[in-house]
């Protein structure tokens, strides 16, 4: 069957389930006795197993299957939650994630997971009591609900035997559901089926590998039953374990004695009832959402922009005609379309949660690797950002958090010695402010050593000793973002993989954002990232060159100035100006863009000082119009590489203004 | 050794099954190309086992199975199904088919089904 059409949905859903597993595992670590959490993880893993088996991703299905066995053991209190056990499960989840990513990228989702699988098996076996018949397979894989339990007990009292039957079909068995049907039919002739794992529904949908487990009450002897089942074609193996239903209260203790049926403590009853009827427990936040391809939203946005152009024209016409009714209608339309614009922009917004939610896992793992104790607090995860920004912001944040853990938070003994609590605190905050979103990472660690930063910066030639003396604390801390800077005494595995903080800075700046750092030695550091709400709307300075209007992104502008004609010098045939003691090249935009009917320079030249990194340039224009928020539109495929133009925008009056790419003009 | 009635509308498939069966010591006592013929031949020859294709003209395999069951409630019928006919296979088993094999046939599967059904 061609499954490719389901692939997108499969990937999306799998990611959701993995996320659930990750989150719940972390919760489980905090409250190891909560069976409800285990159940939730179990369900997610189970669904994942079914989906991946259906899609034919064997490795994925095998691994989830093993994981499920261990989780089932947790659920039945066969073993308890330990950090070591969680490590193995987390490792399995990592593998699963990698496989899903591989599948999403067009790979085959294959991966060598044998080590993890065998460790999961170890856990499963190491603490699993042998089944009463010694039949090899753990017979207590079934968790019985209260109702099933009573049925079993009654049947036993009436002289029926309780069998747990594990049926394995041949690997190349076709039409598995029909085989299952035959098995069930045979069993129903011999007795009554009380429970099956996976459930009958799943078996009917062929959502199982080769094996399934049924509990049957019957008066037929086990060997006779086995013979009957083996007589069905393509049944490879039948293991029958006779089981007795123990007293329910008997196993109420925490360390249950080998419990033949896995019918364990009474405290489990509630959880099992839940497992019995998973449909009855709806997801906690059942937000009504639909998945929409982001391309569609982009198209919607573009179409809307077309509408804005027409709106501009209409407004112009209505002003010219001065017709009362027309004016009224156009004004109304304008109001509605601006509401519409807000909604469309909002649709592209995604909570930062989608990035943040992987950090608790990461911090836990890192803290364990580094032998530190760290608590991560996440505040404002619901803050929304444009999808495009969200996609890019993950890596820089990972880097900063790693830094905070590796260089910021001290080892527990050092912290104790400094009179700080043993456990370090890393706070991840996100909040709105004006047209920006701020993301802050604060730790209560050692802080940044001003002296060390200065020394290193001077040694690496990033600043001169003279210039260093003039710098404020803030500026000195800012030096750690300079290319080629690394404060780590030792290059550890966690941070300092050759990718410096300068990459963080440049990524954030490419998003139109900024990053700053503040620190107090001994108290901790604060990294603050400022991001624009959305990439498609940017703040620009509109400037006039002859009859044409151009837009310069505010993020690149340092300041504007009027330069007198006599202050323009020339070196190597290149006009330059003296800008606060620096020689800055003057770029005449009318020459660069070949603007027709351009006037000559007057007495003074209006200049916009822009920067790219540390380099500056002055852009000469005719006049400044003002600051405005505009919608960035691409020039389309046939105008993809116009020199120094990054896009265009449609102004309120419907005219087009080209947006200048300052990076291309600064050499 | 079993006496078998082979029912399939494709002569090619009948030949294949016949080959598999005779090579393994079974005897094909009759062949039928549709359900109606199958019922007639069953009455005539009273075979030990019938291999029954599901999709056939005139009368399909399941209807033929039911007819044969009316004549002989102990009749042993093995269904021959294609992939994706799961629901029909289950219908057939409910109607009393003993087993099924899935096309394309593998000799050992066919033999396994025959042996398990007569055994």
């Amino acid at each position: 069957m061609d499954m490719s059409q389901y692939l997108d949905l499969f990937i999306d859903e799998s990611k959701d389930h993995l996320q659930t597993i990750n989150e719940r595992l972390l919760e489980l670590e905090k409250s190891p006795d909560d069976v409800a959490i285990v159940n939730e993880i179990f369900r997610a893993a189970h669904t994942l197993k079914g989906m991946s088996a259906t899609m034919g991703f064997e490795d994925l299905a095998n691994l989830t299957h093993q994981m499920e066995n261990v989780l089932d053991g947790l659920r039945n209190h066969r073993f308890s939650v330990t950090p070591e056990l969680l490590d193995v499960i987390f490792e399995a989840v990592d593998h699963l994630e990698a496989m899903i990513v591989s599948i999403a990228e067009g790979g085959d989702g294959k991966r060598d997971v044998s080590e993890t699988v065998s460790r999961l098996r170890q856990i499963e076996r190491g603490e699993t009591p042998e089944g009463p018949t010694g039949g090899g397979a753990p017979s207590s894989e079934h968790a019985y609900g209260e109702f099933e339990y009573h049925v079993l007990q009654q049947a036993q009292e009436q002289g029926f035997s309780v069998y747990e039957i594990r049926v394995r079909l041949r690997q190349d068995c076709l039409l598995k559901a029909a085989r299952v049907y035959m098995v069930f039919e045979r069993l129903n002739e011999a007795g009554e089926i009380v429970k099956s794992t996976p459930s009958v529904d799943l078996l009917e949908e062929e959502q199982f590998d080769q094996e399934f487990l049924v509990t049957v009450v019957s008066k037929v002897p086990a060997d006779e039953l086995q013979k009957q089942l083996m007589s069905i074609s393509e049944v490879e193996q039948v293991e029958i374990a006779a089981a007795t239903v123990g007293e329910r209260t008997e196993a109420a203790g925490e360390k249950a004695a080998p419990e033949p049926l896995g019918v364990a403590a009474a405290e489990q009853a509630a959880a099992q009832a839940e497992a019995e009827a998973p449909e009855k427990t709806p997801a906690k936040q059942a937000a009504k959402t639909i998945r929409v391809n982001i391309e569609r939203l982009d198209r919607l946005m573009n179409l809307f922009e077309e509408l804005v152009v027409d709106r501009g024209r209409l407004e112009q016409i209505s002003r010219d005609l001065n017709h009362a009714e027309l004016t009224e209608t156009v004004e109304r339309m304008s109001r509605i379309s601006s509401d519409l614009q807000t909604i469309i922009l909002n649709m592209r917004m995604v909570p930062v949660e989608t990035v943040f939610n992987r950090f608790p896992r990461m911090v836990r793992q890192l803290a364990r690797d580094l032998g530190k104790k760290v608590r991560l607090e996440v505040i404002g995860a619901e803050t929304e950002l444009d999808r495009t920004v969200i996609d890019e912001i993950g890596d820089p944040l990972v880097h900063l958090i790693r830094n905070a853990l590796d260089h910021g938070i001290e080892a527990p003994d050092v912290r104790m010695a400094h009179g700080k609590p043993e456990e370090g605190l890393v706070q991840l905050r996100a909040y709105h402010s004006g047209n920006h979103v701020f993301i802050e990472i604060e730790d209560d660690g050692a802080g940044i050593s001003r002296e060390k930063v200065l020394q290193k910066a001077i040694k690496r030639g990033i600043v001169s000793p003279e210039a260093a003396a003039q710098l404020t604390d803030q500026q000195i801390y800012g030096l750690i973002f300079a290319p080629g800077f690394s404060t780590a005494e030792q290059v550890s595995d966690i941070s300092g993989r050759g990718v410096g903080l300068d990459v963080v800075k440049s990524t954030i700046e490419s998003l139109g954002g900024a990053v700053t750092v503040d620190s107090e030695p001994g108290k901790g550091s604060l990294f603050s990232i400022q991001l624009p709400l959305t990439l498609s709307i940017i703040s620009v300075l509109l400037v006039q060159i002859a009859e044409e209007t151009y837009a310069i992104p505010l993020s690149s502008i340092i300041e504007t100035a009027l330069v007198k004609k006599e202050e323009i010098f020339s070196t190597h045939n290149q006009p330059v100006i003296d800008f606060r003691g620096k020689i800055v090249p003057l770029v005449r935009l009318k020459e660069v863009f070949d603007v027709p009917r351009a006037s000559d320079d007057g007495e003074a030249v209006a200049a916009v000082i822009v920067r790219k990194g540390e380099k500056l340039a002055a852009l000469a224009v005719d006049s400044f119009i003002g600051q405005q928020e505009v919608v960035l539109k691409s020039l389309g495929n046939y105008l993809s590489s116009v020199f120094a133009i990054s896009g265009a925008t449609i102004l309120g009056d419907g005219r087009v203004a080209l947006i200048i790419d300052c990076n291309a003009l600064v050499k | 050794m079993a006496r078998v009635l082979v029912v399939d509308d494709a002569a090619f498939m009948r030949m294949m099954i016949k080959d598999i069966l005779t090579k393994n010591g079974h005897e094909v006592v009759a062949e039928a190309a549709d359900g109606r013929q199958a019922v007639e031949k069953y009455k005539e020859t009273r075979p030990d086992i019938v291999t029954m294709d599901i999709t056939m003209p005139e009368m399909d395999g399941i209807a033929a199975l039911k007819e044969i069951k009316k004549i002989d409630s102990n009749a042993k019928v093995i269904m021959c199904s294609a992939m994706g006919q799961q629901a029909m296979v289950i219908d057939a088993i409910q109607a009393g088919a003993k087993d099924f094999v899935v096309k394309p046939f593998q000799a050992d599967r066919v033999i396994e089904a025959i042996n398990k059904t007569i055994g």
Side-chain angles (χ1 to χ4, degrees):
Chain A
M1 206 191 321
D2 181 23
M3 293 304 223
S4 56
Q5 51 176 324
Y6 307 116
L7 194 61
D8 283 348
L9 191 60
F10 168 75
I11 291 165
D12 269 2
E13 279 201 89
S14 302
K15 283 183 178 166
D16 284 355
H17 286 302
L18 281 178
Q19 186 54 42
T20 314
I21 295 175
N22 259 328
E23 283 169 8
R24 295 294 170 269
L25 281 174
L26 287 168
E27 280 177 32
L28 184 65
E29 193 170 36
K30 286 182 195 130
S31 43
D33 295 326
D34 196 339
V35 185
I37 299 178
V38 182
N39 268 320
E40 214 169 317
I41 302 171
F42 184 85
R43 268 202 299 277
H46 186 78
T47 313
L48 198 58
K49 178 175 96 171
M51 292 196 317
S52 41
T54 312
M55 294 293 293
F57 298 119
E58 296 292 337
D59 289 352
L60 201 59
N62 284 343
L63 187 54
T64 29
H65 179 69
Q66 284 308 325
M67 218 170 95
E68 216 185 277
N69 286 350
V70 171
L71 289 168
D72 199 52
L74 286 179
R75 195 159 78 158
N76 294 335
H77 294 268
R78 272 192 287 142
F79 27 87
S80 51
V81 178
T82 60
E84 291 70 33
L85 185 145
L86 283 179
D87 277 348
V88 179
I89 298 184
F90 272 132
E91 190 184 301
V93 173
D94 282 343
H95 280 308
L96 295 177
E97 264 171 349
M99 288 188 230
I100 299 284
V101 167
S102 141
I103 292 165
E105 284 166 356
D108 54 5
K110 287 202 190 308
R111 196 175 164 89
D112 182 18
V113 293
S114 50
E115 199 185 318
T116 311
V117 167
S118 71
R119 282 164 74 180
L120 285 169
R121 285 226 174 94
Q122 252 170 24
I123 293 178
E124 195 198 341
R125 219 179 296 130
E127 304 187 41
T128 305
E130 278 283 296
T133 57
S139 66
S140 46
E141 211 153 299
H142 264 171
Y144 296 101
E146 199 145 8
F147 172 72
E148 289 152 354
Y149 177 82
H150 278 299
V151 170
L152 290 178
Q153 219 172 25
Q154 267 180 14
Q156 228 170 10
E157 281 161 14
Q158 289 165 16
F160 285 89
S161 306
V162 178
Y163 299 120
E164 286 193 317
I165 305 174
R166 184 181 292 272
V167 180
R168 173 188 277 274
L169 299 177
R170 282 174 69 140
Q171 195 172 6
D172 52 355
C173 172
L174 297 163
L175 304 190
K176 288 194 285 188
R179 288 293 169 212
V180 171
Y181 180 85
M182 290 177 77
V183 170
F184 275 45
E185 199 189 42
R186 213 52 69 88
L187 289 173
N188 271 327
E189 281 167 19
E192 196 176 335
I193 297 169
V194 179
K195 186 179 175 75
S196 78
T197 309
S199 69
V200 180
D201 294 351
L202 292 178
L203 288 174
E204 269 174 13
E205 288 163 25
E206 301 199 342
Q207 296 211 12
F208 67 106
D209 296 334
Q210 282 165 261
E211 271 188 9
F212 56 95
L213 190 68
V214 277
T215 304
V216 178
V217 293
S218 167
K219 283 185 170 166
V220 178
D223 51 345
E224 172 62 26
L225 209 53
Q226 171 144 23
K227 218 172 95 190
Q228 285 194 13
L229 292 179
M230 284 305 286
S231 76
I232 298 168
S233 299
E234 293 186 308
V235 170
E236 192 172 78
Q237 199 182 16
V238 177
E239 281 173 23
I240 300 188
T244 43
V245 184
E247 281 301 309
R248 246 178 124 68
T249 45
E250 197 178 275
E254 191 59 39
K255 281 266 171 185
E259 180 51 28
L261 261 180
V263 178
E267 64 195 85
Q268 251 176 280
Q272 279 163 356
E274 193 191 356
E276 236 181 320
E279 303 85 352
K280 284 182 193 162
T281 43
K284 272 174 206 152
Q285 312 106 342
K288 280 186 183 166
T289 53
I290 51 164
R291 293 179 198 276
V292 180
N293 192 322
I294 190 138
E295 275 170 32
R296 290 198 193 171
L297 291 184
D298 286 344
R299 265 180 59 202
L300 179 64
M301 184 78 186
N302 283 337
L303 285 176
F304 178 76
E305 293 308 328
E306 299 297 321
L307 212 57
V308 169
V309 177
D310 291 337
R311 180 185 73 184
R313 278 195 202 129
L314 268 180
E315 279 168 345
Q316 191 71 44
I317 294 167
S318 81
R319 264 200 300 277
D320 292 350
L321 289 180
N322 204 8
H323 186 288
E325 272 182 59
L326 179 65
T327 312
E328 200 179 301
T329 317
V330 169
E331 275 174 0
R332 207 178 126 70
M333 207 188 88
S334 299
R335 273 201 307 279
I336 291 175
S337 67
S338 66
D339 285 351
L340 195 57
Q341 181 171 358
T342 317
I343 290 173
I344 293 173
L345 286 177
N346 270 334
M347 279 200 294
R348 297 174 48 90
M349 304 295 254
V350 182
V352 285
E353 200 181 353
T354 49
V355 185
F356 281 11
N357 56 20
R358 64 168 135 146
F359 294 141
R361 250 310 290 290
M362 194 185 91
V363 168
R364 174 192 180 272
Q365 191 63 43
L366 276 182
R368 277 180 70 86
D369 289 352
L370 291 166
K372 293 177 182 179
K373 290 196 172 174
V374 183
R375 186 160 51 95
L376 177 73
E377 264 182 24
V378 177
I379 297 165
E382 70 287 348
T383 313
E384 289 184 326
L385 264 172
D386 190 274
R387 178 64 197 241
T388 343
V389 181
I390 292 274
D391 287 346
E392 296 293 322
I393 196 67
D395 288 343
L397 285 180
V398 167
H399 201 96
L400 289 177
I401 292 176
R402 286 183 163 203
N403 258 302
L405 259 75
D406 198 14
H407 307 316
I409 304 289
E410 314 92 325
D413 48 332
V414 178
R415 288 184 66 91
M416 299 283 260
H418 284 85
K420 290 193 203 177
E422 197 186 8
E423 188 180 56
L425 175 68
V426 175
Q427 255 195 3
L428 186 59
R429 286 190 295 262
Y431 58 90
H432 273 285
S433 177
N435 249 340
H436 289 93
V437 165
F438 286 84
I439 298 178
E440 293 179 343
I441 298 155
E442 186 170 18
D443 66 70
D444 66 347
I448 301 168
S449 160
R450 189 178 183 279
E451 299 314 312
K452 271 192 195 164
V453 170
L454 260 186
Q455 272 175 25
K456 194 154 278 180
I458 293 169
K459 207 171 88 193
R460 300 266 154 101
I462 294 164
V463 283
S464 62
E466 303 80 52
Q470 314 250 323
L471 294 176
T472 64
D473 283 3
Q474 277 265 348
Q475 282 169 319
I476 290 170
Y477 295 139
L479 289 174
I480 62 173
F481 290 112
F485 190 94
S486 165
T487 44
E489 303 279 282
Q490 261 179 313
V491 173
S492 74
D493 202 25
I494 310 304
S495 44
R497 294 185 190 209
V499 197
L501 281 170
D502 58 316
V503 177
V504 171
K505 190 181 189 189
S506 61
T507 309
I508 289 166
E509 283 181 350
S510 74
L511 292 170
V515 56
T516 56
V517 56
D518 201 1
S519 177
E520 200 174 328
K523 292 269 176 65
S525 334
L526 170 71
F527 287 83
S528 178
I529 300 171
Q530 181 189 350
L531 290 166
L533 265 185
T534 163
L535 277 188
S536 54
I537 289 195
I538 57 172
S539 278
V540 295
L541 175 71
L542 294 179
V543 297
Q544 185 122 27
I545 304 169
E547 298 290 297
E548 295 173 8
T549 308
Y550 288 84
I552 303 173
L554 277 194
S555 54
S556 338
I557 297 179
I558 292 180
E559 62 177 86
T560 55
L562 278 178
V563 183
K564 289 192 189 122
K565 226 174 177 177
E566 54 268 29
E567 288 173 349
I568 302 174
F569 310 102
S570 178
T571 50
H572 309 295
N573 267 340
Q574 160 77 49
V576 295
I577 58 166
D578 178 1
F579 174 71
R580 303 196 200 287
K582 271 188 182 170
I583 302 298
V584 174
L586 183 74
V587 180
R588 288 178 210 270
L589 288 182
K590 58 186 155 199
E591 288 165 16
V592 174
F593 295 126
D594 212 0
V595 181
R597 284 185 293 135
S599 55
D600 283 335
D601 292 347
E603 277 305 295
V605 176
V608 183
I609 318 291
V610 297
R611 74 185 167 98
K612 175 196 181 190
E614 301 303 309
K615 290 176 184 146
L616 301 178
L619 310 180
V621 299
D622 284 354
S623 63
F624 308 126
I625 298 173
Q627 182 185 331
Q628 199 175 324
E629 304 264 295
V630 296
V631 178
L632 176 65
K633 301 198 76 173
S634 87
L635 291 177
N637 293 333
Y638 39 90
L639 288 175
S640 55
S641 56
V642 181
F643 174 72
I645 296 293
S646 60
T649 185
I650 297 160
L651 300 174
D653 58 3
R655 281 187 304 147
V656 170
L658 296 176
I659 296 167
I660 295 174
D661 176 13
C662 298
N663 291 343
L665 293 171
V666 184
K667 289 181 198 91
Chain B
M1 213 279 284
R3 299 169 64 249
V4 187
L5 164 62
V6 176
V7 186
D8 200 307
D9 57 335
F12 164 76
M13 295 308 294
R14 291 202 299 273
M15 202 167 77
M16 257 192 74
I17 299 190
K18 198 174 169 178
D19 259 18
I20 294 171
L21 291 177
T22 45
K23 271 183 194 154
N24 286 279
H26 299 288
E27 183 195 352
V28 175
V29 292
E31 293 175 33
D34 62 55
R36 206 169 301 286
Q37 275 185 29
V39 180
E40 293 305 313
K41 296 276 180 189
Y42 189 88
K43 281 188 210 159
E44 260 172 51
T45 57
R46 292 282 167 163
D48 301 331
I49 285 184
V50 183
T51 70
M52 179 77 78
D53 187 25
I54 290 183
T55 324
M56 286 184 299
E58 290 289 316
M59 182 193 277
D60 73 13
I62 295 176
L65 163 73
K66 287 175 182 164
E67 286 298 313
I68 291 174
K69 278 278 172 186
K70 275 187 211 161
I71 301 164
D72 176 3
S73 63
N74 288 321
K76 291 171 177 163
V77 181
I78 296 171
M79 305 307 288
C80 303
S81 125
M83 287 285 287
Q85 289 186 316
Q86 188 117 262
M88 285 195 217
V89 170
I90 292 178
D91 280 351
I93 291 165
Q94 279 172 334
K98 293 292 179 197
D99 204 341
F100 66 92
V101 284
V102 184
K103 294 176 190 173
F105 294 130
Q106 284 169 282
D108 59 331
R109 284 307 150 78
V110 178
I111 298 304
E112 182 190 4
I114 300 271
N115 289 341
K116 285 195 166 169
T117 306
I118 53 174

